[in-house]
Coordinates of all heavy atoms in Angstrom, one line a residue:
M8 N 0.8 -1.2 0.0 CA 0.0 0.0 0.0 C 0.9 1.3 0.0 O 1.7 1.4 0.8 CB -0.9 0.0 1.2 CG -2.2 -0.8 1.0 SD -3.7 0.1 1.4 CE -3.5 0.6 3.1
N9 N 0.6 2.1 -1.0 CA 1.4 3.4 -1.0 C 0.6 4.5 -0.4 O -0.5 4.8 -0.7 CB 1.6 3.8 -2.5 CG 2.8 3.0 -3.0 OD1 3.7 2.6 -2.3 ND2 2.9 2.8 -4.3
Q10 N 1.2 5.2 0.6 CA 0.6 6.3 1.3 C 1.1 7.6 0.6 O 2.3 7.9 0.6 CB 1.1 6.3 2.8 CG 0.5 5.2 3.6 CD -0.7 5.6 4.3 OE1 -1.0 6.8 4.4 NE2 -1.4 4.6 4.9
P11 N 0.1 8.4 0.2 CA 0.5 9.7 -0.4 C 0.9 10.7 0.7 O 0.4 10.5 1.8 CB -0.7 10.1 -1.2 CG -1.9 9.4 -0.5 CD -1.3 8.2 0.1
G12 N 1.6 11.7 0.4 CA 1.9 12.8 1.3 C 3.3 12.7 2.0 O 3.5 13.4 2.9
T13 N 4.1 11.8 1.6 CA 5.4 11.7 2.2 C 6.5 12.4 1.3 O 7.7 12.4 1.7 CB 5.8 10.3 2.4 OG1 5.7 9.5 1.2 CG2 5.0 9.6 3.5
T14 N 6.2 13.0 0.2 CA 7.1 13.5 -0.7 C 7.9 14.7 -0.1 O 9.1 14.8 -0.3 CB 6.4 14.0 -2.0 OG1 5.2 13.3 -2.2 CG2 7.3 13.7 -3.2
V15 N 7.2 15.6 0.6 CA 7.8 16.8 1.1 C 8.9 16.4 2.1 O 10.0 17.0 2.0 CB 6.7 17.7 1.8 CG1 7.4 18.8 2.6 CG2 5.7 18.2 0.8
E16 N 8.7 15.5 2.9 CA 9.7 15.1 3.9 C 10.9 14.5 3.2 O 12.0 14.8 3.5 CB 9.1 14.0 4.8 CG 9.7 13.9 6.2 CD 9.0 12.9 7.0 OE1 7.8 12.6 6.9 OE2 9.7 12.3 7.8
Y17 N 10.7 13.8 2.2 CA 11.8 13.2 1.4 C 12.7 14.3 0.8 O 13.9 14.2 0.9 CB 11.2 12.2 0.3 CG 12.2 11.8 -0.7 CD1 13.2 10.8 -0.3 CD2 12.3 12.3 -2.0 CE1 14.2 10.4 -1.2 CE2 13.3 11.9 -2.8 CZ 14.2 11.0 -2.5 OH 15.1 10.6 -3.4
L18 N 12.0 15.3 0.2 CA 12.8 16.3 -0.5 C 13.6 17.1 0.5 O 14.7 17.5 0.3 CB 11.8 17.3 -1.2 CG 11.3 16.8 -2.6 CD1 10.2 17.8 -3.1 CD2 12.4 16.7 -3.6
F19 N 13.0 17.4 1.7 CA 13.7 18.1 2.7 C 15.0 17.4 3.1 O 16.1 18.0 3.2 CB 12.8 18.3 3.9 CG 13.5 19.1 5.0 CD1 13.7 20.4 4.9 CD2 13.9 18.4 6.2 CE1 14.3 21.1 6.0 CE2 14.5 19.1 7.2 CZ 14.7 20.4 7.1
E20 N 14.9 16.1 3.4 CA 16.0 15.3 3.8 C 17.1 15.4 2.7 O 18.3 15.5 3.0 CB 15.6 13.9 4.0 CG 15.4 13.6 5.4 CD 15.0 12.1 5.7 OE1 15.4 11.3 4.8 OE2 14.4 11.8 6.7
N21 N 16.7 15.3 1.5 CA 17.6 15.3 0.3 C 18.4 16.6 0.3 O 19.6 16.6 0.1 CB 16.8 15.1 -0.9 CG 17.4 14.1 -1.8 OD1 18.2 13.3 -1.3 ND2 17.1 14.1 -3.1
N22 N 17.7 17.7 0.5 CA 18.3 19.0 0.4 C 19.3 19.3 1.5 O 20.4 19.9 1.3 CB 17.3 20.1 0.4 CG 16.6 20.2 -1.0 OD1 17.2 19.8 -2.0 ND2 15.4 20.8 -1.0
A23 N 19.0 18.8 2.7 CA 19.8 19.0 3.9 C 21.1 18.3 3.7 O 22.1 18.7 4.3 CB 19.1 18.6 5.1
G24 N 21.2 17.3 3.0 CA 22.4 16.5 2.8 C 23.4 17.0 1.9 O 24.5 16.6 1.9
V25 N 23.0 18.0 1.0 CA 23.9 18.5 0.0 C 24.3 20.0 0.2 O 24.1 20.8 -0.7 CB 23.4 18.2 -1.4 CG1 23.6 16.7 -1.7 CG2 22.0 18.7 -1.6
M26 N 24.7 20.3 1.4 CA 25.1 21.7 1.6 C 26.5 21.9 1.2 O 27.4 21.8 2.0 CB 25.0 22.0 3.1 CG 23.5 22.2 3.6 SD 22.7 23.7 3.1 CE 23.5 24.8 4.3
Q27 N 26.7 22.1 -0.1 CA 28.1 22.2 -0.6 C 28.5 23.7 -0.6 O 27.7 24.6 -0.9 CB 28.1 21.6 -2.0 CG 28.4 20.1 -2.0 CD 28.8 19.6 -3.3 OE1 28.8 20.4 -4.3 NE2 29.1 18.4 -3.4
Q28 N 29.8 23.9 -0.4 CA 30.3 25.2 -0.4 C 30.7 25.6 -1.9 O 31.6 25.0 -2.4 CB 31.5 25.3 0.5 CG 31.6 26.7 1.1 CD 33.0 27.0 1.7 OE1 34.0 26.3 1.3 NE2 33.1 27.9 2.6
T29 N 30.0 26.6 -2.4 CA 30.4 27.0 -3.8 C 30.6 28.5 -3.7 O 30.2 29.3 -4.6 CB 29.2 26.7 -4.8 OG1 28.0 27.2 -4.2 CG2 29.1 25.2 -5.0
H30 N 31.3 29.0 -2.7 CA 31.5 30.4 -2.5 C 32.6 30.9 -3.4 O 33.7 30.3 -3.5 CB 32.0 30.6 -1.0 CG 32.1 32.0 -0.6 ND1 31.0 32.8 -0.4 CD2 33.2 32.8 -0.4 CE1 31.4 34.0 -0.1 NE2 32.7 34.0 -0.1
A31 N 32.3 31.9 -4.2 CA 33.2 32.4 -5.2 C 33.8 33.7 -4.7 O 33.1 34.5 -4.1 CB 32.6 32.6 -6.5
M32 N 35.1 33.9 -5.0 CA 35.8 35.2 -4.7 C 36.1 35.9 -6.1 O 36.2 35.2 -7.1 CB 37.1 34.9 -4.0 CG 36.9 34.1 -2.8 SD 38.6 33.7 -2.1 CE 38.2 32.6 -0.8
S33 N 36.2 37.2 -6.0 CA 36.5 37.9 -7.3 C 37.6 38.9 -7.1 O 37.8 39.5 -6.0 CB 35.3 38.4 -7.9 OG 34.8 39.5 -7.0
F34 N 38.2 39.3 -8.1 CA 39.3 40.3 -8.1 C 39.3 41.0 -9.4 O 39.1 40.4 -10.5 CB 40.6 39.7 -7.8 CG 41.8 40.6 -8.0 CD1 42.1 41.6 -7.0 CD2 42.5 40.7 -9.2 CE1 43.1 42.5 -7.2 CE2 43.5 41.6 -9.4 CZ 43.8 42.5 -8.4
R35 N 39.5 42.3 -9.4 CA 39.6 43.1 -10.6 C 40.9 44.0 -10.5 O 41.3 44.4 -9.5 CB 38.4 44.1 -10.7 CG 37.1 43.4 -11.0 CD 36.0 44.4 -11.0 NE 35.9 45.2 -9.7 CZ 35.0 46.1 -9.5 NH1 34.1 46.5 -10.4 NH2 35.0 46.8 -8.3
C36 N 41.5 44.2 -11.7 CA 42.7 45.0 -11.8 C 42.4 46.4 -11.2 O 43.2 47.0 -10.5 CB 43.1 45.2 -13.2 SG 44.2 43.8 -13.7
R37 N 41.2 46.9 -11.4 CA 40.8 48.2 -10.9 C 40.9 48.3 -9.4 O 41.2 49.4 -8.8 CB 39.4 48.6 -11.3 CG 39.3 49.0 -12.7 CD 38.1 50.0 -12.9 NE 38.0 50.3 -14.3 CZ 37.2 49.6 -15.2 NH1 36.4 48.7 -14.7 NH2 37.2 49.9 -16.4
D38 N 40.7 47.1 -8.7 CA 40.8 47.1 -7.2 C 42.2 47.5 -6.7 O 42.3 47.9 -5.6 CB 40.4 45.7 -6.7 CG 39.0 45.4 -7.0 OD1 38.2 46.3 -7.2 OD2 38.6 44.2 -7.0
I39 N 43.2 47.3 -7.5 CA 44.5 47.7 -7.1 C 45.0 48.9 -7.9 O 46.2 49.2 -8.0 CB 45.6 46.6 -7.1 CG1 45.7 46.0 -8.5 CG2 45.2 45.5 -6.1 CD1 47.0 45.1 -8.6
G40 N 44.1 49.6 -8.5 CA 44.4 50.9 -9.2 C 44.9 50.8 -10.6 O 45.5 51.8 -11.1
L41 N 44.8 49.7 -11.2 CA 45.2 49.5 -12.6 C 44.0 49.9 -13.5 O 42.9 49.6 -13.2 CB 45.6 48.1 -12.9 CG 46.9 47.6 -12.3 CD1 47.1 46.1 -12.4 CD2 48.1 48.3 -13.0
D42 N 44.4 50.7 -14.6 CA 43.3 51.1 -15.5 C 43.1 49.9 -16.5 O 43.6 50.0 -17.6 CB 43.8 52.4 -16.2 CG 42.7 52.9 -17.1 OD1 41.5 52.5 -16.9 OD2 42.9 53.7 -18.0
C43 N 42.3 49.0 -16.1 CA 42.2 47.7 -16.9 C 40.9 47.1 -16.5 O 40.5 47.2 -15.3 CB 43.4 46.8 -16.5 SG 43.3 45.2 -17.1
S44 N 40.2 46.4 -17.4 CA 38.9 45.9 -17.1 C 39.0 44.4 -16.8 O 37.9 43.7 -16.6 CB 37.9 46.1 -18.3 OG 38.5 45.4 -19.4
F45 N 40.2 43.9 -16.6 CA 40.3 42.4 -16.2 C 39.7 42.1 -14.9 O 39.7 42.9 -13.9 CB 41.8 42.1 -16.1 CG 42.1 40.7 -15.6 CD1 42.0 39.6 -16.5 CD2 42.5 40.5 -14.3 CE1 42.2 38.3 -16.0 CE2 42.7 39.2 -13.9 CZ 42.6 38.1 -14.7
E46 N 39.0 41.0 -14.9 CA 38.3 40.5 -13.7 C 38.4 39.0 -13.7 O 38.2 38.4 -14.7 CB 36.8 41.0 -13.8 CG 36.0 40.6 -12.5 CD 34.6 41.1 -12.5 OE1 34.2 41.8 -13.4 OE2 33.9 40.8 -11.5
T47 N 38.6 38.5 -12.5 CA 38.7 37.0 -12.4 C 37.9 36.6 -11.2 O 37.8 37.3 -10.2 CB 40.1 36.5 -12.3 OG1 40.1 35.1 -12.3 CG2 40.9 37.0 -11.2
T48 N 37.3 35.4 -11.2 CA 36.7 34.8 -10.1 C 37.2 33.4 -9.8 O 37.7 32.7 -10.8 CB 35.2 34.7 -10.3 OG1 34.9 34.0 -11.5 CG2 34.5 36.0 -10.4
G49 N 37.2 33.0 -8.6 CA 37.7 31.6 -8.3 C 37.2 31.3 -6.9 O 36.6 32.1 -6.2
T50 N 37.5 30.0 -6.5 CA 37.0 29.6 -5.2 C 38.1 29.6 -4.2 O 37.9 29.3 -3.0 CB 36.5 28.1 -5.3 OG1 37.4 27.3 -6.0 CG2 35.2 28.1 -6.0
S51 N 39.3 30.1 -4.6 CA 40.4 30.3 -3.6 C 41.3 31.4 -4.0 O 41.4 31.8 -5.2 CB 41.2 29.0 -3.4 OG 42.1 28.8 -4.5
E52 N 42.0 32.0 -3.0 CA 42.9 33.1 -3.2 C 44.0 32.7 -4.2 O 44.4 33.4 -5.1 CB 43.6 33.5 -1.9 CG 42.8 34.6 -1.2 CD 43.6 35.0 0.1 OE1 44.7 34.5 0.3 OE2 43.1 35.9 0.8
H53 N 44.4 31.4 -4.0 CA 45.5 30.9 -4.8 C 45.2 30.9 -6.3 O 45.9 31.3 -7.1 CB 45.8 29.4 -4.3 CG 47.0 28.8 -5.0 ND1 48.3 29.2 -4.7 CD2 47.1 27.8 -5.9 CE1 49.1 28.5 -5.4 NE2 48.4 27.6 -6.2
K54 N 43.9 30.4 -6.6 CA 43.5 30.3 -8.0 C 43.4 31.7 -8.6 O 43.8 32.0 -9.7 CB 42.1 29.7 -8.1 CG 42.2 28.2 -8.0 CD 40.8 27.6 -8.1 CE 40.8 26.1 -7.9 NZ 39.5 25.5 -7.7
I55 N 42.9 32.7 -7.8 CA 42.8 34.1 -8.3 C 44.2 34.7 -8.5 O 44.4 35.3 -9.6 CB 41.9 34.9 -7.3 CG1 40.5 34.5 -7.4 CG2 42.1 36.4 -7.6 CD1 39.5 35.2 -6.5
L56 N 45.1 34.4 -7.6 CA 46.4 34.9 -7.8 C 47.1 34.4 -9.1 O 47.7 35.1 -9.8 CB 47.3 34.6 -6.6 CG 47.4 35.6 -5.5 CD1 48.1 35.1 -4.3 CD2 48.0 36.9 -6.0
R57 N 46.9 33.1 -9.3 CA 47.5 32.5 -10.5 C 46.9 33.1 -11.8 O 47.6 33.4 -12.7 CB 47.3 31.0 -10.5 CG 48.3 30.3 -9.5 CD 48.2 28.8 -9.6 NE 48.5 28.3 -10.9 CZ 48.9 27.1 -11.1 NH1 49.0 26.2 -10.1 NH2 49.2 26.7 -12.3
E58 N 45.6 33.3 -11.8 CA 44.9 33.9 -12.9 C 45.5 35.3 -13.1 O 45.7 35.7 -14.3 CB 43.4 34.0 -12.7 CG 42.7 32.7 -12.7 CD 42.1 32.3 -14.1 OE1 41.8 33.3 -14.8 OE2 42.1 31.1 -14.4
F59 N 45.6 36.0 -12.1 CA 46.1 37.4 -12.2 C 47.5 37.5 -12.7 O 47.8 38.3 -13.5 CB 45.9 38.1 -10.9 CG 46.5 39.5 -10.9 CD1 45.9 40.5 -11.7 CD2 47.7 39.8 -10.3 CE1 46.4 41.8 -11.8 CE2 48.3 41.1 -10.4 CZ 47.6 42.1 -11.2
I60 N 48.3 36.6 -12.1 CA 49.8 36.6 -12.6 C 49.9 36.3 -14.1 O 50.6 37.0 -14.8 CB 50.6 35.6 -11.7 CG1 50.7 36.1 -10.3 CG2 51.9 35.3 -12.3 CD1 51.2 35.1 -9.3
D61 N 49.1 35.3 -14.5 CA 49.1 35.1 -16.0 C 48.7 36.3 -16.8 O 49.3 36.7 -17.8 CB 48.0 34.0 -16.3 CG 48.6 32.6 -16.1 OD1 49.8 32.5 -15.8 OD2 47.8 31.6 -16.2
H62 N 47.6 37.0 -16.3 CA 47.1 38.2 -17.0 C 48.2 39.3 -16.9 O 48.4 40.0 -17.8 CB 45.8 38.6 -16.3 CG 45.5 40.0 -16.6 ND1 44.9 40.5 -17.8 CD2 45.6 41.1 -15.8 CE1 44.7 41.8 -17.7 NE2 45.1 42.2 -16.5
A63 N 48.8 39.5 -15.7 CA 49.7 40.6 -15.5 C 50.9 40.4 -16.4 O 51.5 41.4 -16.9 CB 50.1 40.6 -14.0
E64 N 51.4 39.2 -16.5 CA 52.6 38.9 -17.4 C 52.2 39.3 -18.8 O 53.0 39.9 -19.5 CB 52.9 37.4 -17.3 CG 53.8 37.1 -16.1 CD 54.1 35.6 -16.1 OE1 53.7 34.8 -17.0 OE2 54.7 35.2 -15.1
A65 N 51.1 38.9 -19.3 CA 50.7 39.1 -20.7 C 50.3 40.5 -21.0 O 50.6 41.1 -22.0 CB 49.5 38.2 -21.1
T66 N 49.6 41.2 -20.0 CA 49.0 42.5 -20.3 C 49.8 43.6 -19.7 O 49.9 44.7 -20.3 CB 47.6 42.5 -19.8 OG1 46.9 41.4 -20.3 CG2 46.8 43.8 -20.3
H67 N 50.4 43.4 -18.5 CA 51.0 44.6 -17.9 C 52.5 44.4 -17.8 O 53.2 45.2 -17.2 CB 50.5 44.7 -16.4 CG 49.0 44.9 -16.4 ND1 48.4 46.0 -16.9 CD2 48.0 44.1 -15.9 CE1 47.1 46.0 -16.7 NE2 46.8 44.8 -16.1
N68 N 53.1 43.4 -18.5 CA 54.5 43.2 -18.6 C 55.1 43.1 -17.2 O 56.2 43.5 -16.9 CB 55.2 44.3 -19.3 CG 54.9 44.2 -20.8 OD1 54.9 43.1 -21.4 ND2 54.6 45.3 -21.4
L69 N 54.3 42.5 -16.3 CA 54.8 42.2 -14.9 C 55.3 40.8 -14.8 O 54.5 39.9 -14.8 CB 53.7 42.5 -13.9 CG 53.3 43.9 -13.5 CD1 52.1 43.9 -12.7 CD2 54.4 44.6 -12.8
N70 N 56.6 40.6 -14.8 CA 57.1 39.2 -14.7 C 57.3 38.8 -13.2 O 57.5 37.7 -12.9 CB 58.3 39.1 -15.5 CG 58.0 39.1 -17.0 OD1 57.1 38.5 -17.5 ND2 58.8 39.9 -17.7
F71 N 57.4 39.8 -12.4 CA 57.6 39.5 -11.0 C 56.7 40.4 -10.2 O 56.6 41.6 -10.3 CB 59.1 39.8 -10.6 CG 59.3 39.7 -9.2 CD1 59.4 38.4 -8.6 CD2 59.5 40.8 -8.4 CE1 59.7 38.3 -7.2 CE2 59.7 40.7 -7.0 CZ 59.8 39.5 -6.4
L72 N 56.0 39.7 -9.3 CA 55.1 40.5 -8.4 C 55.7 40.5 -7.0 O 56.0 39.5 -6.4 CB 53.7 39.8 -8.3 CG 52.9 39.8 -9.6 CD1 51.6 39.0 -9.3 CD2 52.6 41.2 -10.0
S73 N 55.9 41.7 -6.5 CA 56.5 41.8 -5.2 C 55.6 41.4 -4.1 O 54.4 41.4 -4.3 CB 57.0 43.3 -5.0 OG 55.8 44.1 -4.9
A74 N 56.1 41.2 -2.9 CA 55.2 40.8 -1.8 C 54.2 41.9 -1.5 O 53.1 41.6 -1.1 CB 56.1 40.6 -0.5
D75 N 54.6 43.1 -1.7 CA 53.7 44.2 -1.5 C 52.5 44.1 -2.4 O 51.4 44.3 -2.0 CB 54.5 45.5 -1.9 CG 54.8 46.4 -0.7 OD1 54.8 45.8 0.4 OD2 55.0 47.6 -0.9
V76 N 52.7 43.9 -3.7 CA 51.7 43.8 -4.7 C 50.8 42.6 -4.3 O 49.5 42.7 -4.4 CB 52.2 43.6 -6.1 CG1 51.1 43.4 -7.1 CG2 53.0 44.9 -6.5
I77 N 51.4 41.5 -4.0 CA 50.6 40.3 -3.6 C 49.7 40.5 -2.4 O 48.5 40.2 -2.4 CB 51.5 39.1 -3.4 CG1 52.1 38.6 -4.8 CG2 50.8 37.9 -2.8 CD1 53.2 37.6 -4.7
L78 N 50.2 41.2 -1.4 CA 49.4 41.6 -0.3 C 48.3 42.5 -0.7 O 47.1 42.3 -0.2 CB 50.3 42.3 0.8 CG 50.9 41.5 1.8 CD1 51.8 42.3 2.7 CD2 49.9 40.8 2.7
K79 N 48.5 43.4 -1.6 CA 47.5 44.3 -2.1 C 46.4 43.6 -2.7 O 45.2 43.8 -2.5 CB 48.2 45.3 -3.1 CG 47.9 46.7 -2.9 CD 48.7 47.5 -3.9 CE 48.3 49.0 -4.0 NZ 49.0 49.7 -5.0
I80 N 46.8 42.6 -3.6 CA 45.8 41.8 -4.3 C 45.0 41.0 -3.3 O 43.8 41.0 -3.3 CB 46.5 40.8 -5.3 CG1 47.2 41.6 -6.4 CG2 45.5 39.9 -5.9 CD1 48.3 40.8 -7.1
K81 N 45.7 40.3 -2.3 CA 45.0 39.5 -1.3 C 43.9 40.3 -0.6 O 42.8 39.8 -0.3 CB 46.0 38.9 -0.4 CG 46.7 37.7 -1.0 CD 47.4 36.9 0.0 CE 47.9 35.6 -0.5 NZ 48.6 34.8 0.5
S82 N 44.3 41.5 -0.2 CA 43.3 42.3 0.6 C 42.2 42.9 -0.3 O 41.2 43.3 0.2 CB 44.0 43.4 1.4 OG 44.7 44.2 0.5
A83 N 42.5 42.9 -1.7 CA 41.5 43.5 -2.6 C 40.5 42.4 -3.0 O 39.4 42.7 -3.6 CB 42.1 44.1 -3.8
I84 N 40.8 41.1 -2.9 CA 39.9 40.1 -3.3 C 38.6 40.1 -2.5 O 38.7 40.2 -1.2 CB 40.6 38.7 -3.1 CG1 41.8 38.5 -4.1 CG2 39.6 37.5 -3.3 CD1 42.6 37.3 -3.9
K85 N 37.5 40.1 -3.2 CA 36.2 40.1 -2.5 C 35.8 38.7 -2.2 O 35.7 37.9 -3.1 CB 35.2 40.8 -3.4 CG 35.5 42.3 -3.5 CD 34.4 43.0 -4.3 CE 34.7 44.4 -4.4 NZ 36.0 44.6 -5.2
K86 N 35.5 38.5 -0.9 CA 35.2 37.1 -0.5 C 33.7 37.0 -0.2 O 33.1 38.0 0.2 CB 36.0 36.7 0.7 CG 37.4 36.6 0.3 CD 38.3 36.4 1.6 CE 39.8 36.5 1.2 NZ 40.6 36.6 2.4
Ligands
LIG106 ZN1 44.9 44.1 -15.9

């Protein structure tokens, strides 16, 4: 015998079990005062830094980022 009316409970249980973290962070060149529309998003500071370094090498001719600049970027990343 099938009892109707248990679907809601089932869905609720299902949703509670999949609380995944999909928090994205973002960074823009403008955030550190560069006149550039580059923007990147990622799920970790590390990923964003890597994206930015790639971009900075290609676009801003920055082959080396000083600790100062890296700190600036880290504090500019929106979490
Ligand atoms: Zn840029």
Side-chain angles (χ1 to χ4, degrees):
M8 274 232 304
N9 279 335
Q10 290 265 346
T13 51
T14 336
V15 173
E16 205 177 330
Y17 169 74
L18 280 174
F19 178 76
E20 262 183 24
N21 228 20
N22 285 338
V25 287
M26 288 285 283
Q27 275 194 353
Q28 212 198 23
T29 50
H30 188 72
M32 306 175 187
S33 68
F34 171 79
R35 291 177 303 178
C36 274
R37 284 210 183 93
D38 294 339
I39 58 164
L41 290 166
D42 185 18
C43 170
S44 60
F45 174 79
E46 182 173 359
T47 183
T48 55
T50 47
S51 74
E52 270 186 2
H53 186 73
K54 280 181 188 166
I55 286 180
L56 267 173
R57 283 184 63 158
E58 290 267 326
F59 174 72
I60 288 166
D61 279 353
H62 160 78
E64 280 177 1
T66 309
H67 300 295
N68 291 317
L69 284 173
N70 292 312
F71 173 75
L72 295 178
S73 68
D75 250 24
V76 174
I77 287 171
L78 268 176
K79 232 176 166 181
I80 295 162
K81 282 190 170 185
S82 58
I84 291 172
K85 289 184 182 62
K86 293 171 191 171

